Amino acid sequence: MGSNLYLGLVHHPVYDKRKETVATAVTNFDIHDIARCGRTYGVEGFYVITPLESQIQLVERLIHHWVEGGGAAYNPTRKECLSLIRISRTIDEAAKEISERWKKKVTLVVTSASRHPKNIGVADFRQALEDLNNPFLMLFGTGWGVTEEVKDRCDYILEPIEGKGYNHLSVRSAVAVLLDRLLGDRTC
Amino acid sequence: MGSNLYLGLVHHPVYDKRKETVATAVTNFDIHDIARCGRTYGVEGFYVITPLESQIQLVERLIHHWVEGGGAAYNPTRKECLSLIRISRTIDEAAKEISERWKKKVTLVVTSASRHPKNIGVADFRQALEDLNNPFLMLFGTGWGVTEEVKDRCDYILEPIEGKGYNHLSVRSAVAVLLDRLLGDRTC
């Protein structure tokens, strides 16, 4: 399983600290950690979503270094996971690419750190993923999370990871926990 | 649960790429991500273990900034998690401090990315943690993992997170996944 699941790391449109809509900068550690997790759990692709030309070039340079450049020989395991990465300028562009590849509309699932009346549970999503004929794009917001407009147009909003009265995981940790809950060994 | 569990991030003794024993540099993202995870899952403390004076000063500066300095007002949630951090020069020093606080010998549990004949399962460790009268220190290696000597002297070696033929999670992701497996909601 996992081969019908794609990850999307959204740098725009997301909120900043004051709840204004911004485009965040790409974080090197996000790219590496999420690609490594994605490869570990067998996801099909990892979209880095940013409209900023400078950030697109940064990600392209990073991928080139590790997949074709000096990094590929230095650390072949990094090459293996970073080749999962695709770059897209918008959520729509990523969704369109997946839908065209599958000849079927991709289901958009957004994650969030807060509860929402439309939340679906992890178990429901895990079950949906078992239908390998349908592709899913799971979106993670950087900054202070994706905007309400993004949530409104997604098909599903996944329930948050509940902490013990504290709810401030990094996006890197949230990806790791959710991939393990969705695709990891539930018997251990 | 979790209040009898401590995390230890080991910077020495660990292996480098050539399996030589080294002291790695402290990584800012490790400290923040693991502290945020630790606070989310309710662990009792987070030991940053390094013998290097320069690295100790770096961590002290980081904690000072976020717990007492300008960062405390800028982001109070960061203050809340980074106050979990303790610094110790060796694994022994961390273990001794916990044992003295609990007036009971701490159980050392080491994590690893590879299988080991002495592995215990996550379910066994989760059950052990239910005895809140006993403290546990769970160690994570940086670099290419803790040395064999460390494994030999720990009480338990936790089974690795099994990927789909790929086994190269960042230490930040490994902490997130294992805390969720040990202390997170297993019903979802």
Side-chain angles (χ1 to χ4, degrees), chain A residues 1-2 17 27 29-30 32-37 39-42 73-81 122-123 126 144 159 161-174 176-177 180-181 183-188, chain B residues 1-2 17 27 29-30 32-37 39-42 73-81 122-123 126 144 159 161-174 176-177 180-181 183-188:
Chain A
M1 237 176 25
K17 203 173 183 244
T27 301
F29 277 83
D30 288 356
H32 282 266
D33 279 15
I34 295 173
R36 292 164 77 177
C37 258
R39 182 66 189 79
T40 298
Y41 289 97
Y74 175 77
N75 188 344
T77 69
R78 211 51 70 88
K79 169 181 176 171
E80 211 181 322
C81 68
V122 168
R126 200 163 48 226
W144 269 251
E159 63 181 356
I161 300 163
E162 298 279 6
K164 304 213 157 111
Y166 183 90
N167 196 18
H168 307 281
L169 289 177
S170 71
V171 69
R172 300 169 290 283
S173 300
V177 167
D180 192 61
R181 288 186 179 185
L183 303 172
D185 181 4
R186 297 302 286 171
T187 61
C188 73
Chain B
M1 237 178 21
K17 206 175 181 242
T27 300
F29 276 82
D30 289 354
H32 282 267
D33 279 17
I34 296 173
R36 291 164 77 178
C37 259
R39 181 68 189 78
T40 298
Y41 289 97
Y74 176 77
N75 189 343
T77 69
R78 211 49 72 87
K79 170 180 175 171
E80 211 181 321
C81 68
V122 168
R126 199 163 49 227
W144 270 251
E159 64 181 356
I161 300 162
E162 298 279 5
K164 304 214 158 109
Y166 183 90
N167 196 17
H168 306 282
L169 290 177
S170 71
V171 69
R172 298 169 291 283
S173 299
V177 167
D180 192 60
R181 287 186 178 184
L183 303 172
D185 181 3
R186 297 302 286 173
T187 61
C188 74

Side-chain angles (χ1 to χ4, degrees), chain B residues 34-83:
Chain B
I34 296 173
R36 291 164 77 178
C37 259
R39 181 68 189 78
T40 298
Y41 289 97
V43 306
E44 187 64 16
F46 166 28
Y47 283 88
V48 176
I49 299 168
T50 173
L52 302 179
E53 210 48 52
S54 64
Q55 301 296 297
I56 291 171
Q57 285 170 16
L58 187 78
V59 180
E60 282 173 343
R61 267 221 323 272
L62 184 153
I63 297 173
H64 178 79
H65 172 72
W66 290 101
V67 174
E68 296 161 47
Y74 176 77
N75 189 343
T77 69
R78 211 49 72 87
K79 170 180 175 171
E80 211 181 321
C81 68
L82 291 176
S83 56

Side-chain angles (χ1 to χ4, degrees), chain B residues 90-118:
Chain B
T90 62
I91 296 172
D92 280 341
E93 192 181 299
K96 188 162 170 264
E97 193 174 297
I98 299 168
S99 296
E100 283 177 359
R101 191 172 309 146
W102 285 69
K103 297 183 182 30
K104 188 167 281 188
K105 197 182 160 301
V106 68
T107 301
L108 291 179
V109 183
V110 67
T111 64
S112 168
S114 50
R115 292 223 150 261
H116 190 282
K118 277 169 57 186

